[in-house]
Amino acid sequence: MLVTGSRAVGDRLWYAVWTRARHEKVVRDRLQRRGIETLLPLWKRPSQWKDRRKVIDEPLFPGYCMVHLSPREVLPVLTTPGVADIVRHQGQIAPIPEEEIHALNMIASCGFPCRPHPFLEEGTWVEVVRGPLGGMKGILLSHDRCAQLVVVVMLIHQAATVEIDVRDVTPFHGSPHRQQ
């Protein structure tokens, strides 16, 4: 089980803590020793060593550990070695909705394999990485249950869409239109 501790909920909310690189498990353990409830979703990553294959438990969200806190418990978290900060929005620590924490716990307990995925939202420039449209760049669009790629012809200010499998795209960084 990923969520640890059993304090009364009260005024506690879930927050994301930024950790130093590759310190997620250490931060989780240190916070738990301080009596703070944590959530660190893990996934099993296959790794090839020189002489064998091994499966390694890796954080699902590298650089983050979730904590269940009341506002008065922020200072002990911030002073924990390995913690960089608590994620903020407009200067204030920003809580994670309870439904999202519930979904993470369901993923962790269902027994199905999971792995990280790039955060894609409508309007993101993406590149198709496999399939017949491989190499194509466009804007991700979604309608109901299907995803679409908007292909843009900037010079004439026109665009077209094509249905795609969102698993076949990755975020595209850089200029989508190369000067020739």
Side-chain angles (χ1 to χ4, degrees):
M1 183 158 185
L2 294 176
V3 175
T4 60
S6 58
R7 296 175 156 182
V9 174
D11 62 345
R12 295 179 190 285
L13 297 171
W14 284 96
Y15 298 94
V17 170
W18 271 316
T19 69
R20 291 181 51 204
R22 296 180 300 280
H23 278 69
E24 301 88 353
K25 293 177 186 176
V26 171
V27 165
R28 175 201 57 200
D29 296 344
R30 288 175 177 163
L31 290 170
Q32 287 175 356
R33 282 195 295 273
R34 289 184 174 199
I36 296 171
E37 187 176 1
T38 64
L39 170 63
L40 182 63
L42 301 172
W43 72 290
K44 296 193 178 303
R45 180 179 63 84
S47 178
Q48 180 67 48
W49 291 21
K50 288 181 183 179
D51 59 339
R52 66 185 184 276
R53 289 187 57 81
K54 186 171 178 153
V55 176
I56 300 171
D57 285 335
E58 293 280 333
L60 191 58
F61 306 121
Y64 296 97
C65 180
M66 300 353 158
V67 294
H68 200 211
L69 306 170
S70 67
R72 65 184 170 276
E73 295 173 300
V74 168
L75 187 59
V77 170
L78 291 174
T79 58
T80 301
V83 170
D85 202 354
I86 296 178
V87 175
R88 299 169 189 272
H89 179 72
Q90 297 179 344
Q92 301 295 317
I93 60 172
I96 300 169
E98 196 70 38
E99 305 82 49
E100 293 175 12
I101 296 296
H102 179 69
L104 289 174
N105 275 319
M106 287 179 65
I107 288 171
S109 63
C110 75
F112 295 135
C114 67
R115 64 178 173 270
H117 190 277
F119 180 72
L120 298 174
E121 59 184 335
E122 191 168 346
T124 301
W125 276 95
V126 296
E127 179 175 8
V128 180
V129 293
R130 65 181 154 265
L133 302 177
M136 184 181 289
K137 297 171 186 70
I139 301 169
L140 183 67
L141 197 69
S142 62
H143 292 288
D144 299 326
R145 286 175 273 156
C146 74
Q148 295 181 333
L149 182 71
V150 178
V151 180
V152 177
V153 181
M154 291 297 287
L155 185 63
I156 60 173
H157 296 270
Q158 297 293 311
T161 64
V162 61
E163 284 191 22
I164 58 167
D165 186 334
V166 75
R167 295 172 294 187
D168 292 341
V169 300
T170 186
F172 177 74
H173 304 288
S175 174
H177 304 287
R178 300 193 203 303
Q179 297 280 338
Q180 296 203 9

